Every structure is written in C-alpha cells, then in structure tokens.
C-alpha cells in the first residue's frame, strides 16, 4: 500500500507524462504539444522529477535532461519516425502499436519500481486515445506484481479523436479519467465512463503585456478605413473549426455596407496552410497570400487600402506575432463548431484580445463579461456582435481587462495545484484500501 501521505510534494513523488505530442517541432501539431510542454515545464519548475515520453524528433537524442535534471525527455518510436518525416502523426498506427508494446514495461521497470523502492509515489499521466491501452497495460503490469496500489495513474482526454477505439470500461478500471471541460465530460459520460474536470493551462509568459508599438502598427492599417474591422483567426484547416462561418461573416458585412478584414492562418498536422485563400475566392472575396512576417508588416496597410478582405498567412506564426494580432484585432474568431477546451481563445484573452467563442468547451468564456460567446452558426451574429461593440469603447476596454484577468486564473501555476489536489486525493484513497 501507499505510505500515508496527505499531499503530493516534490519530496515524495515523481511524475511520468506519456503523450504523442511534445516540445520538439516534429512533435507539435496542435494544442496537445503546447499543453504537455507547459505542464511538464511547470512540474519541473515546481521541483518535481518529471519524465516526458513522446514521439520526438528522430534526429535528436533519445533521452535529454533539462531544468537541472528535473525534466527528462524520452523520445519514443524514433526508429519509426526516421521513416516518417511528416511529423508526429505520420505513421500514427505503427507508432501507437510500438508505444503500447514497448513503453509500459520500460516505465514500470526503470521509473515506477525504483520510485516505489525509494519511498516515493510514482504519478503517471497519459494523454489522448493513443495512450489509452498503454495506461491499461501499465495498470496490468503493476497489478501482476502486487504494486497497483503503490502508483497513481491518470488518463486525460483533450479531444474526442479516437474515442470509438477506447475500451472505456477497461480504461476506467485501470486509471482515473480526467478531461479539460464540462463539455468533454458529458461526451465521456455518454461513452459509458465518468471523468473529473481539470482545465487546461497556459504558460505565464503569455500574460506579459503586448508591446503597444506592435499593436499600433497593426491598428494603423485599419484605422483610416471607415466602418472597417479587423478579425484574426488561427486554427486547423477543418470545417469544425468554423472557417465557413468566418468567411461568410466577411461576405455578410460587405452586403451590409460594412467591412471586415480577416487575417487567418489555417494549418494542419502535416504543416500545410490549408486552402484559405482559395476558399475565400470561391466565396467571392478578394484574398491575398503573405509568406513571411516581414511581408505582413510591410504590405498590410496597402492590402487593406486595395480592398483585400481575406489575408492568408502562409507561414508559421510566432507566439509574439500571434499575441500582437490577438491584441490588435477587433475580434479573435475561436468559433469552433465543437471545441473541447479552446486554448487559442484563452491565449487571445491573455493578450487582451476579444475572443469570439463557439460556446461548447470554453468554460472560461463568460458571455458579455470577458468574451463574446456565439449562440448560433449564423455568420450574421458575428457581424452584429462586432457592430454593437464598435460603438462602445468603454465596453471594449472592459472586455479586454476582464479577459486578461480571467486568463491569469488559467496559468499553469494556478491550474497545477488543482491537478495535484486530485492526485493527492487518489493517492489517499488507495492508501486507505
């Protein structure tokens, strides 16, 4: 049995994170990579020994130590990734099979058992459907060795991808299931299991003020134009991310004699930029493509003056540029049809941006107080909400202030204690059995 502990601390616990995505560019395709990098870094900074197993860059070391040896990166499946240059999800099926076969025994033998022998509590946190069976195999191995009650296992869902492939009853018996929003919890419950909600977090550097000069340079491109608003959208190039509604809103504004300029970055797991410009032109909108940040800064004003309505960013948007656009835009379209959590919306709020969310998993968004929560799929609603806001500078300022205040509550330094409380509760419950 576990020793009688009241709280998980760096002195009595060691963490193992298992995920597909991670800190390497090769291993980042969306919000999961950002989440895992932020969580692992915060754990290590707090003093916890933290091991991260992920599908890393095949050209980098298989094991790497950071943060004064508190953070250890384990790049898994590199022998497969060497033949899959398209990124973390290239060769996904082979990687899932290899992870499930090879990782559980290694983690149990080299990390979990040594931690137990040292009188510490091993805490294993696994993410997404690709690791569900791995969680079950780890639990089986510990059970076979009479050690299941000596380790804490959590499995977390950030998205519904692969839910049909999960044996929910087996998973629920093997690990504590968590998820990132009440919306996601309702989906898991409909699958026949239950889940604890522990929200996502953002890194504290996202709370730093955005440089005013950067905001002014973007706003200068729009301000001379009458009845013109600037919207920014950055999401995977998928229908569920609300791209159709965004483009239709630009068209609807034009029909009303107003004007919305949409700056967008549509990407995907393979690193492609989607088909934003082509889709915009099919909708009868004037579109332009920009291929670098310098080109954006140089040409934004002239493109707006020339009547361009959609500007597609055909390059990787840096965090600094994204934050400048979040803060400068009249609205950030985080309007997904179905959004498990909405990390982009929260990051926009951290920069003082006005997020337009779809109202599914964005528990942090409170309509009219810190964000615009869209009630319909009607593109006219976006235009109407923008038009109503544009007439009240005081309301805009209040929304931006409240957005930043809310985002501070979701910094990893604030979210981590909630996760540790849940883990400590699990550990105490097992100690009592």
């Amino acid at each position: 049995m576990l020793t009688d502990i009241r709280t998980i601390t760096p002195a009595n616990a060691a963490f193992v994170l298992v995920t597909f995505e991670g800190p390497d560019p090769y291993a980042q395709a969306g919000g999961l990579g950002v989440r895992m990098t932020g969580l692992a870094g915060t754990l290590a900074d707090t003093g916890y020994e933290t091991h991260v197993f992920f599908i890393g860059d095949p050209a980098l070391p298989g094991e790497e130590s950071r943060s004064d040896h508190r953070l250890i990166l384990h790049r898994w499946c590199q022998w497969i990734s060497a033949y899959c240059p398209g990124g973390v999800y290239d060769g996904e099926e082979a990687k899932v099979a290899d992870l499930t076969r090879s990782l559980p025994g290694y983690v149990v033998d080299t990390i979990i058992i040594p931690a137990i022998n040292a009188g510490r509590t091993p805490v294993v946190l696994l993410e997404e459907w690709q690791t569900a069976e791995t969680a079950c195999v780890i639990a089986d191995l510990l059970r076979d060795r009479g050690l299941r009650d000596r380790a804490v296992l959590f499995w977390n869902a950030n998205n519904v991808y692969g839910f049909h492939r999960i044996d929910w009853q087996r998973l629920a018996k093997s690990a504590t299931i968590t998820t990132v929003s009440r919306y996601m919890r309702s989906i898991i419950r409909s699958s026949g299991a239950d889940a604890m909600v522990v929200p996502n977090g953002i890194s504290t550097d996202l709370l730093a003020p955005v440089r005013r000069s950067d905001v002014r340079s973007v706003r200068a491109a729009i301000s001379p134009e009458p009845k013109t608003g600037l919207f920014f959208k950055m999401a995977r190039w998928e229908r569920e991310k609300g791209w159709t509604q965004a483009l239709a809103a630009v068209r609807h504004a034009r029909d009303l004699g107003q004007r919305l300029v949409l700056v967008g970055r549509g990407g995907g797991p393979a690193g492609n930029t989607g088909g934003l410009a082509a889709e915009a032109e099919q909708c009868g909108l004037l579109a332009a493509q920009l291929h670098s940040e310098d080109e954006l800064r140089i040409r934004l004003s002239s493109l707006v003056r020339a009547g361009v309505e959609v500007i597609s960013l055909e390059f990787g948007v840096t965090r600094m540029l994204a934050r400048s656009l979040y803060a400068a835009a009249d609205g950030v379209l985080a309007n997904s049809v179905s959004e498990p959590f909405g990390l982009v919306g929260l990051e926009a709020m951290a920069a003082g941006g006005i997020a337009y969310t779809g109202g599914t998993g964005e528990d942090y968004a409170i309509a009219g107080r810190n964000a615009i929560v869209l009630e319909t799929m009607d593109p006219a609603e976006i235009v109407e909400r923008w038009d109503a806001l544009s007439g009240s500078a005081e309301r805009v300022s209040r929304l931006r202030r409240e957005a930043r205040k809310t985002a501070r509550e979701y910094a990893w330094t604030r979210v981590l204690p909630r996760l540790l409380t849940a883990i400590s509760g699990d550990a105490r419950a097992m100690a009592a059995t």
Side-chain angles (χ1 to χ4, degrees):
M1 294 174 58
L2 288 167
T3 56
D4 184 16
I5 57 173
R6 296 178 61 85
T7 305
I8 291 289
T9 69
N12 66 21
F15 277 79
V16 176
L17 278 55
V18 182
T19 174
F20 248 52
E21 296 188 35
D24 297 350
Y26 178 90
Q28 293 188 350
L32 178 59
V34 175
R35 166 185 166 83
M36 299 314 296
T37 302
L39 174 56
T42 305
L43 281 167
D45 290 344
T46 306
Y48 288 96
E49 176 188 330
T50 306
H51 298 262
V52 183
F53 290 82
F54 67 105
I55 310 301
D57 189 328
L60 294 177
E63 184 173 309
E64 180 182 346
S65 177
R66 298 181 180 178
S67 301
D68 293 329
H69 304 292
R70 292 189 303 275
L71 178 61
I72 301 94
L73 305 181
H74 303 263
R75 296 183 173 91
W76 217 250
C77 299
Q78 286 182 297
W79 69 277
I80 299 175
S81 298
Y83 297 96
C84 301
V88 58
Y89 296 111
D90 187 6
E92 181 178 18
E93 293 295 336
K95 291 171 180 176
V96 171
D98 185 67
L99 184 84
T100 306
R101 177 191 59 79
S102 63
L103 187 138
Y106 180 87
V107 167
V108 169
D109 291 336
T110 65
I111 301 176
I112 294 179
I113 290 179
I116 292 172
N117 291 339
R120 306 170 77 191
T121 301
V123 181
V124 186
L125 309 178
L126 305 100
E127 303 271 334
E128 301 293 58
W129 77 266
Q130 296 94 341
T131 70
E133 182 59 21
T134 297
C136 297
V137 175
I138 291 174
D140 289 345
L141 290 175
L142 292 174
R143 200 173 290 115
D144 291 344
R145 302 185 190 192
L147 298 173
R148 179 60 191 90
D149 61 349
R150 302 289 299 275
V152 175
L153 269 65
F154 274 46
W155 178 87
N156 183 67
N158 300 277
N159 212 305
V160 298
Y161 295 142
F163 269 25
H164 65 287
R165 302 178 63 161
I166 296 174
D167 183 338
W168 288 100
Q169 295 305 310
R170 172 167 158 76
L171 179 61
K173 291 176 181 177
S174 301
T176 296
I177 299 174
T178 64
T179 191
V180 292
S181 66
R182 294 190 297 270
Y183 171 70
M184 281 293 293
R185 180 177 61 190
S186 69
I187 296 174
I188 291 173
R189 284 176 171 174
S190 70
S191 300
D194 203 357
M196 180 188 308
V197 176
V198 180
N200 226 325
I202 58 174
S203 60
T204 53
D205 63 316
L206 292 178
L207 300 172
V210 179
R211 291 189 304 195
R212 293 183 180 180
S213 59
D214 291 345
V215 176
R216 284 196 298 266
S217 66
V218 176
R219 290 303 307 173
I222 300 296
S223 54
E225 303 298 317
K227 295 184 178 180
T228 298
L230 174 67
F231 274 69
F232 178 49
K233 182 172 179 63
M234 185 164 63
R236 290 193 303 276
W237 184 248
E238 297 175 359
R239 294 295 179 186
E240 68 180 37
K241 290 299 182 180
W243 285 105
T244 299
Q245 185 186 19
L247 292 172
V250 176
R251 179 64 181 266
H252 183 72
R254 182 214 288 175
D255 293 342
L256 294 177
Q258 300 171 311
R259 185 179 176 202
L260 289 181
V261 176
L262 174 65
V263 176
R265 161 66 185 179
N272 61 74
T273 55
L276 177 56
E279 187 84 5
E281 291 173 354
Q282 289 178 12
C283 294
L285 302 171
L286 184 58
Q289 295 175 301
L290 298 181
H291 300 277
S292 71
E293 185 171 335
D294 286 342
E295 189 178 9
L296 171 64
R297 298 185 188 283
I298 293 169
R299 297 187 58 199
L300 180 58
S301 293
S302 61
L303 290 173
V304 173
R305 290 196 305 271
V308 171
E309 297 160 294
V310 176
I311 298 172
S312 178
L313 305 183
E314 304 289 315
F315 58 91
V317 176
T318 64
R319 175 174 288 187
M320 183 177 294
L321 175 59
R323 298 190 74 233
S324 298
L325 291 170
Y326 290 150
D330 294 291
V332 178
L333 292 180
N335 58 316
S336 296
V337 176
S338 175
E339 180 57 65
F341 179 80
L343 195 57
V344 168
L346 189 59
E347 290 179 350
M349 289 167 61
I354 299 177
Y356 283 59
T357 73
T360 48
E362 303 94 339
D363 293 347
Y364 55 81
I366 303 173
R369 178 180 296 181
N370 59 16
I372 303 299
V373 180
L374 298 171
E375 300 293 337
T376 71
M377 289 292 296
D378 187 347
E381 185 183 1
I382 294 175
V383 180
E384 291 166 2
R385 298 293 190 95
W386 162 67
D387 189 43
L389 266 183
S390 62
S392 176
E394 180 181 349
R395 187 180 172 206
V396 168
S397 180
R398 185 172 64 251
L399 272 174
R400 293 184 186 276
R401 285 197 307 270
E402 290 298 319
R404 283 182 50 80
K405 186 184 299 183
T406 298
R408 286 196 290 271
E409 296 301 315
Y410 285 85
W412 272 118
T413 50
R414 298 284 187 93
V415 173
L416 182 58
R418 297 176 61 174
L419 177 59
L420 294 177
T421 296
I423 292 168
S424 297
D426 230 44
R428 285 194 294 271
M430 285 195 293
T433 59

